[in-house]
């Protein structure tokens, strides 16, 4: 009886959203993966880990960790989505396991993107602000300008002649926040997909233009003949083979691929759930990953480090490659562009491309939670967007209004360093032991434009879990190093760091509570959807 | 840049550009909703069944 009554209301429960075009979903997934890390983090990681030699473990990790786990996510997402009509991570992982007992793994699939969004949208607003400051000339301080003071005063760490408070910073944050929610409000196809269809090509064109400018710099200062493009590329790409014997280099390669492809984020699961059985996932997944690699290796590798080398020289490169991504992007790069011919134009292009890269990523972070509110609590789009807006606005304000970057860094550690590998491990566990690899391979074959390679089953069963466990173990070893390495001292936690961790734990439990409350409704939706599919 | 540097730089870029190009060419040439050559749906994987709600 219950089933019949549910079946009668299937029109209401029918899946409301689908991707409009195949290239749209590919660019949306690629946009989710392409972010600030491709342009700011990757070049520094290469230089610190053996230059060109690093590319060997990097590409091995791409083939044996990134691509297989990515395919597993696409396959699980489409399968669970088409069988259940659900799209949120708890719903998908729950229905994948029949009894729904693994739905609580999906809590991480809400926690990770939401927490990252809360700080990411803030950094994204810096990119928009720096684009504006470049256009208006506010940041054009010349080669000797104090860009550190500019950045610190802008983000409220100090006050001075550039900014006396965080008002300007906050306005850009509000604009960026509004743009994100406007696009997410428009929905999957009219918002995310349409935006990515325009933003991704624009981003690539902007990056190509900036990279071409860097590659054609020649020797800008004839009195310093060694500061030329060829030497700059050599600084980044000349291999240091000895580094290949260092396990940390291999770990760094796995970590870079893993975080760069946005694997274990929960986003691909949600995006793939909007596909039908006739839609390809194998070629689409590979294309999205390859697009991310193109932005990272071919474009990201040609901009920041070579440009900094040409203008700052080898003497300052140690500081440049050791600096955080934020320092590199918002302190070093304005200094570099100030010395570059037509630097103002290319600086504006550079920050605009970072802004586009940021926004295509942050949009993807909101969709899993929107789907969760809609299917778990029967909310319509305006209410779910408003609720999510309030929730993330509170979290983001904690980041924006707290002086310094401690809150931001702690949130990133909780969500990225710890959360993502854990969720990826959970997904692999489900793929190997619950869905079963042969079933996964069969599912991947539906609608496929290319076959999964013969080694996929072996790699996903044995190699990928080992790679992932190594990343997690490496993280713990680094954190606990003072216990067994006398030369490393404990760094005591700041009070703000402790409070942030406590809030993160509380937030995780809050989401777990929500998943518990939402599950009966998801179950009803699933049964109704399955019944309508049968009919 | 030394010879090995050039080799790795050009090799890496060629690999990534080649992979991306091949993928996009195949995507655009296959059109929307293309099926694999052999796509037999036995429906034996469509579970859990809604007529067995006790599984929940």
């Amino acid at each position: 009886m219950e089933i019949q009554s549910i079946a009668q209301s299937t029109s209401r429960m029918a899946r409301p959203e689908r991707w409009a075009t195949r290239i749209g979903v590919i660019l949306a997934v690629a946009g989710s993966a392409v972010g600030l890390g491709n342009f700011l983090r990757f070049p520094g990681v290469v230089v610190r880990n053996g230059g060109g030699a690093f590319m060997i473990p990097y590409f091995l990790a791409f083939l044996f960790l990134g691509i297989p786990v990515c395919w597993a996510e696409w396959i699980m997402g489409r399968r669970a989505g088409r069988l259940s009509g659900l799209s949120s991570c708890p719903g998908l992982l729950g229905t994948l396991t029949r009894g729904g007992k693994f739905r609580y793994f999906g809590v991480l699939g809400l926690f990770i993107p939401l927490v990252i969004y809360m700080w990411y949208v803030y950094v994204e607003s810096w990119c928009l602000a720096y684009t504006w400051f470049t256009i208006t000339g506010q940041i054009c301080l010349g080669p000797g300008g104090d860009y550190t003071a500019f950045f610190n005063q802008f983000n409220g760490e100090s006050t001075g002649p550039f900014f006396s408070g965080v008002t300007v910073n906050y306005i850009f944050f509000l604009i960026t926040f509004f743009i994100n929610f406007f696009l997410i409000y428009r929905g999957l196809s009219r918002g995310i997909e349409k935006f990515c269809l325009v933003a991704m090509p624009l981003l690539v064109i902007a990056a190509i233009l900036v990279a071409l400018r860097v590659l054609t710099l020649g020797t800008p200062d004839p009195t310093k003949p060694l500061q030329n493009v060829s030497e700059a590329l050599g600084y980044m790409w000349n291999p240091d083979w000895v580094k290949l014997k260092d396990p940390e280099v291999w770990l760094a390669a796995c970590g870079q691929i893993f975080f760069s492809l946005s694997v274990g984020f929960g986003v691909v699961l949600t995006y793939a759930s909007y596909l039908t059985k006739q839609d390809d996932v194998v070629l689409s997944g590979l294309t999205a990953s390859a697009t991310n690699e193109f932005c990272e290796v071919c474009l990201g590798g040609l901009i920041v480090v070579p440009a900094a080398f040409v203008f700052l020289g080898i003497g300052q490169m140690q500081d440049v490659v050791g600096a955080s991504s934020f320092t590199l992007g918002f302190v070093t790069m304005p200094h570099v562009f100030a010395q570059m011919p037509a630097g103002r134009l290319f600086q504006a292009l550079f920050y605009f491309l970072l802004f586009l890269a940021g926004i295509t990523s942050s949009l993807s972070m909101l969709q899993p939670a929107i789907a969760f509110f809609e299917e778990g609590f029967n909310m319509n789009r305006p209410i779910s967007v408003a609720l999510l807006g309030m929730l993330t606005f509170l979290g983001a304000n904690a980041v924006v209004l707290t002086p310094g970057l401690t809150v931001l860094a702690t949130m990133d550690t909780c969500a990225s360093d710890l959360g993502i590998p854990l969720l990826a491990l959970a997904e692999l566990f489900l793929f190997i032991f619950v869905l079963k690899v042969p079933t996964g391979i069969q599912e991947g074959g539906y609608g496929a434009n290319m076959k999964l390679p013969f080694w996929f089953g072996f790699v996903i069963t044995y190699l990928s879990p080992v790679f992932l466990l190594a990343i997690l173990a490496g993280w713990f070893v680094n954190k606990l190093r003072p216990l067994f390495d006398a030369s490393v001292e404990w760094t005591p936690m700041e009070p703000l760091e402790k409070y942030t961790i406590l809030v993160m734990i509380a937030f995780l439990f809050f989401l777990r509570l929500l998943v518990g409350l939402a599950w009966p409704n998801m179950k009803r939706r699933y049964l109704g959807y399955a019944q309508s599919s049968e009919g | 840049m030394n010879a090995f540097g050039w080799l790795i730089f050009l090799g890496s870029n060629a690999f990534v550009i080649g992979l991306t190009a091949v993928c996009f060419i195949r995507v655009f040439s296959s059109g929307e909703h293309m099926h694999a050559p052999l796509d037999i749906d036995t429906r034996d994987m469509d579970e859990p069944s809604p007529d067995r709600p006790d599984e929940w």
Side-chain angles (χ1 to χ4, degrees):
Chain A
M1 271 309 279
E2 188 196 0
I3 301 296
Q4 281 175 349
S5 65
I6 290 166
Q8 283 165 2
S9 59
T10 46
S11 60
R12 191 171 61 84
M13 289 179 173
R15 175 177 283 290
E17 293 196 284
R18 288 275 179 220
W19 296 103
T21 60
R22 181 174 176 192
I23 192 69
V25 62
I26 290 172
L27 291 185
V29 175
S32 164
V34 175
L36 306 181
N38 295 61
F39 297 94
L40 299 179
R41 186 174 185 267
F42 171 73
V45 173
V46 175
V47 173
R48 285 195 299 273
N49 291 286
F54 175 79
M55 298 314 286
I56 292 171
Y58 177 82
F59 281 123
L60 286 176
F62 175 63
L63 291 174
F64 297 124
L65 175 69
I67 295 285
V69 180
C70 204
W71 273 330
E73 282 197 322
W74 278 78
I75 289 169
M76 284 197 296
R78 185 186 63 171
R79 177 180 168 81
R82 76 179 172 81
L83 290 179
S84 67
L86 302 175
S87 292
S88 67
C89 207
L92 294 171
L93 296 188
T95 50
L96 203 65
T97 53
R98 296 194 198 180
K101 53 191 167 195
F102 291 113
R103 60 186 178 273
Y104 291 116
F105 278 173
V107 174
L108 277 175
L110 297 174
F111 175 81
I112 295 165
L114 283 182
V115 169
I116 293 180
Y117 175 82
M118 288 172 192
W119 66 260
Y120 203 85
V121 68
Y122 181 43
V123 178
E124 211 175 289
S125 74
W126 295 349
C127 301
L128 181 64
Y130 268 55
T131 309
W132 178 250
F133 295 152
T134 309
I135 292 167
T136 58
Q138 202 173 339
I139 199 179
C140 301
L141 311 174
D146 192 351
Y147 294 98
T148 307
F150 187 94
F151 179 60
N152 288 342
Q153 289 169 28
F154 171 66
N155 70 34
E157 256 186 273
S158 61
T159 54
F162 298 116
F163 301 96
S164 55
V166 290
T167 314
V168 177
N169 185 345
Y170 201 74
I171 290 169
F172 278 102
F173 160 70
L174 288 178
I175 294 170
T176 311
F177 197 90
F178 174 78
I179 293 172
N180 272 284
F181 272 87
F182 171 73
L183 290 170
I184 210 81
Y185 175 76
R186 286 178 59 83
L188 189 75
S189 174
R190 291 194 314 136
I192 298 175
E193 185 175 349
K194 274 195 174 170
F195 180 77
C196 288
L197 276 170
V198 177
M200 285 301 290
L202 262 183
L203 180 162
V204 170
I205 291 168
I208 288 174
L209 289 175
V210 179
L212 282 177
R213 171 68 281 195
V214 173
L215 288 179
T216 52
L217 282 170
T219 311
D221 186 351
T223 62
K224 297 171 183 167
L226 285 179
Q227 286 181 217
N228 60 54
V229 173
S230 174
E231 289 296 318
L233 290 175
Y235 180 76
M236 184 166 166
W237 291 93
N238 283 345
D240 177 2
W241 301 112
V242 180
K243 285 269 189 184
L244 287 180
K245 293 177 186 166
D246 184 353
E248 289 203 2
V249 170
W250 289 78
L251 212 57
C254 293
Q256 178 62 29
I257 277 294
F258 188 72
F259 295 116
S260 173
L261 288 179
S262 289
V263 175
F265 215 60
V267 169
V268 174
L269 278 178
T270 295
Y271 275 7
S273 73
Y274 297 108
L275 296 171
T276 66
K277 194 176 179 179
Q278 287 76 35
D279 292 322
D280 160 86
V281 289
V282 182
L283 180 60
S284 299
L286 185 63
T287 309
S289 303
T291 308
N292 176 69
E293 289 309 292
F294 175 74
C295 290
E296 183 157 289
V297 176
C298 304
L299 301 175
L302 291 181
I303 297 176
V304 175
V305 165
F309 184 95
V310 165
F311 290 106
L312 305 180
I314 198 162
Q316 291 184 49
M317 285 311 287
Q318 201 65 29
D319 296 335
V320 170
V321 296
S324 74
S325 297
F326 300 147
T327 308
L328 189 59
F330 299 98
V331 176
T332 309
M333 287 314 286
H335 188 63
V336 168
F337 282 116
Q339 300 173 68
M340 189 184 286
R344 192 167 159 186
L345 171 69
F346 289 99
Q347 181 170 322
L349 266 178
F350 176 70
Y351 286 114
F352 184 62
L353 87 86
L354 287 187
F355 175 67
L356 290 177
I359 209 160
T360 51
S361 299
S362 62
L363 279 178
S364 72
M365 297 169 199
L366 295 172
Q367 185 61 26
I370 288 284
F372 173 70
F373 284 136
E374 287 181 351
E375 65 198 24
F377 297 98
N378 271 341
M379 290 179 186
N380 59 21
R381 176 64 54 142
I383 293 178
S384 61
V385 167
L387 193 68
L388 186 64
M390 282 191 280
L391 189 70
T392 50
F393 190 70
L394 276 176
N397 266 284
V399 180
V400 178
L401 300 175
T402 314
L405 302 176
T406 308
V407 175
L408 186 158
T410 312
M411 287 167 85
D412 185 39
T413 303
C414 292
S416 302
D417 296 354
L418 199 53
I420 292 179
L422 279 177
L423 180 59
L425 264 181
E427 288 172 352
L428 274 188
F429 171 79
L430 293 178
F431 191 83
I432 297 166
F433 297 108
V434 180
L435 180 65
K436 310 284 185 197
V437 175
T439 312
I441 292 173
Q442 191 184 355
E443 172 74 30
Y446 294 143
N449 286 138
M450 66 174 273
K451 281 185 176 177
L452 284 166
F454 68 91
W455 45 260
F456 172 74
F458 173 78
V459 167
I460 200 78
T461 311
Y462 300 106
L463 290 188
S464 302
V466 171
F467 271 111
L468 264 177
L469 285 170
I471 291 174
L472 260 179
W475 186 82
F476 278 111
V477 166
N478 268 335
K479 288 287 171 192
L480 302 176
R481 192 175 289 274
L483 280 180
F484 53 86
D485 187 348
S487 63
V488 183
E489 287 183 15
W490 279 109
T491 314
M493 271 192 191
E494 293 176 35
L496 200 55
E497 211 175 336
K498 287 180 192 166
Y499 295 140
T500 310
I501 291 173
L502 285 176
V503 173
M504 289 297 100
I505 293 170
F507 186 53
L508 197 62
F509 276 100
F510 171 68
L511 290 174
R512 187 242 172 262
L513 183 72
L514 286 185
V515 169
L517 291 173
W519 184 247
N521 206 26
M522 287 185 180
K523 201 167 116 182
R524 270 196 299 276
R525 272 180 173 258
Y526 162 72
L527 290 172
Y529 185 81
Q531 180 78 353
S532 73
S533 303
E534 288 280 314
Chain B
M1 184 146 67
N2 63 31
F4 277 120
W6 277 112
L7 192 70
I8 292 173
F9 170 68
L10 294 176
S12 301
N13 279 277
F15 170 69
V16 173
I17 291 171
L19 179 67
T20 313
V22 166
C23 285
F24 273 103
I25 288 168
R26 288 191 67 168
V27 165
F28 284 119
S29 61
S30 61
E32 303 280 327
H33 302 311
M34 289 289 287
H35 289 264
L38 185 63
D39 184 6
I40 299 167
D41 183 8
T42 57
R43 295 192 69 80
D44 58 339
M45 288 166 39
D46 290 355
E47 55 188 3
S49 166
D51 53 12
R52 284 180 288 157
D54 54 311
E55 276 187 349
W56 298 85

